[in-house]
Amino acid sequence: MHTTEFVYDGPVSESYNEVRLRPLHDEKQSCLSFRLTTTPGSRGTAYRDSHGNWVHQFNVLAEHRHLKVEAESVVLAHESPDAPPHSTPLSKFDSRRDQLDEEYFDFIAPTAYVPHLAALREIIQAAEAASDGTVAGFAHAASDMIHRRFRYVKGATHVHSSIEDSLSIGAGVCQDFAHLLLGVARMRGFPGRYVSGYLVPGDAVSPDSKQESVIGGYASHAWAEVLMPESGWVAFDPTLGKPVGLRHIRIAYGRDYGDVAPVRGVYKGHAGQRLSVDVRVRPELDDAGRERLSETSAPPVAAAVLERPQQPPQQQQQQQQ
């Protein structure tokens, strides 16, 4: 359950909103059900964006002082196939970079959140020296290096921070660490994409469960994927410093956070707003009370799609992660 509430200190109206809260449905996970409700009530439309993410749009035209958006999902995670035993050598990858630059330009080019900065070159060189000379080895080394060098400090940055902020203070949150890995990968020539989602907390007896709860168990989580020539997109979580697995629930892909903000909208009025976000994620339990994280693949969930153009901006409201 993902709940976002906006409380305004005066009446507002003509609120136009879009959310990216429906989990992806593919070979890695099945979205078995999804329900989106708003208070005040509204009727919405849905469509797929250019990255394949579900986008739901809704309007609240009458005056209101409070807006609640609740998204409830049931997701079935699937075991991923084993990675190929051999990875492409960096030298061989470099020989075909021109082809990738053209095909995956959007995932290599700098963005507002992930500019190509000279300060990243030291991390690139260190990761290459620590790797086994392959693409996969470099990506693993870069992710591990970011995990070790940067401190997780909630509130150290804000939703609009670029990697320049994290580099300057040596700290950040999962959004920043995903952006840092993307910056390193892209400057080295590897296509990289941002992933928004949730992290299911580990068992209470696990020594990592407290850290996971703080980082992603009760908030949106983020990580990155790097394109491997031999195996496609491979996920890395530089925040946790552990492999991405069944506890990572994917919501949306993008070039950076700007493409996948969970809740974004505008409204008419001069009132200020207070924002609160609450996320509850838990694994299903079987009859014996044990966690059940995966089963066999389920068929795709059919959904009607009606595309609607964006509304002109007025006063902005956006969820901060």
Side-chain angles (χ1 to χ4, degrees):
M1 173 74 78
H2 187 137
T3 303
T4 305
E5 290 190 75
F6 297 95
V7 178
Y8 309 101
D9 55 21
V12 303
S13 62
E14 297 182 31
S15 175
Y16 301 97
N17 304 272
E18 67 176 32
V19 302
R20 287 172 172 79
L21 292 171
R22 176 172 175 164
L24 295 166
H25 186 112
D26 54 23
E27 71 281 357
K28 296 180 180 179
Q29 66 182 37
S30 297
C31 181
L32 303 183
S33 69
F34 175 76
R35 181 174 61 183
L36 181 70
T37 57
T38 68
T39 306
S42 64
R43 297 185 63 182
T45 59
Y47 69 94
R48 296 273 192 134
D49 67 15
S50 60
H51 300 298
N53 308 312
W54 278 106
V55 182
H56 291 77
Q57 296 180 317
F58 64 90
N59 308 328
V60 180
L61 301 180
E63 282 195 351
H64 55 284
R65 292 173 176 263
H66 170 260
L67 174 63
K68 178 186 284 188
V69 182
E70 293 181 296
E72 186 173 6
S73 308
V74 176
V75 178
L76 186 64
H78 310 306
E79 292 284 358
S80 299
D82 294 334
H86 304 292
S87 179
T88 302
L90 291 171
S91 57
K92 183 177 180 180
F93 174 86
D94 290 338
S95 67
R96 54 172 298 198
R97 278 185 59 173
D98 291 344
Q99 176 186 343
L100 290 173
D101 288 349
E102 181 176 348
E103 186 175 355
Y104 294 96
F105 175 81
D106 285 347
F107 296 108
I108 296 177
T111 68
Y113 285 95
V114 191
H116 289 182
L117 302 175
L120 293 175
R121 297 194 184 281
E122 187 274 329
I123 300 177
I124 294 172
Q125 293 170 358
E128 191 159 344
S131 74
D132 60 0
T134 66
V135 175
F138 175 87
H140 279 287
S143 181
D144 291 344
M145 199 162 294
I146 292 168
H147 175 71
R148 295 194 308 269
R149 289 191 181 188
F150 293 85
R151 295 173 293 114
Y152 183 92
V153 180
K154 191 172 182 179
T157 56
H158 54 80
V159 70
H160 299 298
S161 292
S162 78
I163 58 176
E164 190 169 9
D165 298 317
S166 298
L167 287 167
S168 65
I169 62 176
V173 294
C174 56
Q175 173 180 314
D176 304 302
F177 301 153
H179 284 156
L180 281 167
L181 181 55
L182 291 177
V184 170
R186 290 172 181 174
M187 283 190 66
R188 182 59 182 80
F190 308 137
R193 63 185 184 183
Y194 185 93
V195 189
S196 68
Y198 306 120
L199 177 67
V200 181
D203 190 287
V205 300
S206 167
D208 295 326
S209 61
K210 184 175 181 180
Q211 180 194 26
E212 291 179 359
S213 295
V214 170
I215 290 174
Y218 300 101
S220 295
H221 193 46
W223 56 99
E225 291 186 350
V226 178
L227 185 68
M228 301 290 162
E230 68 284 346
S231 54
W233 294 101
V234 177
F236 299 89
D237 188 340
T239 305
L240 290 182
K242 296 191 297 184
V244 172
L246 296 176
R247 296 185 183 275
H248 289 74
I249 306 301
R250 293 165 299 117
I251 301 297
Y253 295 124
R255 294 164 298 177
D256 57 28
Y257 173 81
D259 286 339
V260 301
V263 180
R264 177 182 284 128
V266 297
Y267 61 87
K268 183 178 180 180
H270 298 290
Q273 64 178 17
R274 298 192 308 276
L275 167 68
S276 63
V277 180
D278 181 59
V279 176
R280 295 290 181 226
V281 187
R282 67 170 179 83
E284 182 186 9
L285 302 180
D286 61 19
D287 293 338
R290 295 185 296 268
E291 294 182 359
R292 184 165 59 190
L293 290 171
S294 64
E295 292 181 359
T296 57
S297 178
V301 177
V305 178
L306 177 60
E307 187 166 351
R308 183 164 61 87
Q310 289 291 311
Q311 302 294 331
Q314 300 174 49
Q315 185 164 341
Q316 298 288 332
Q317 62 183 19
Q318 180 170 336
Q319 176 178 340
Q320 181 172 345
Q321 295 299 317

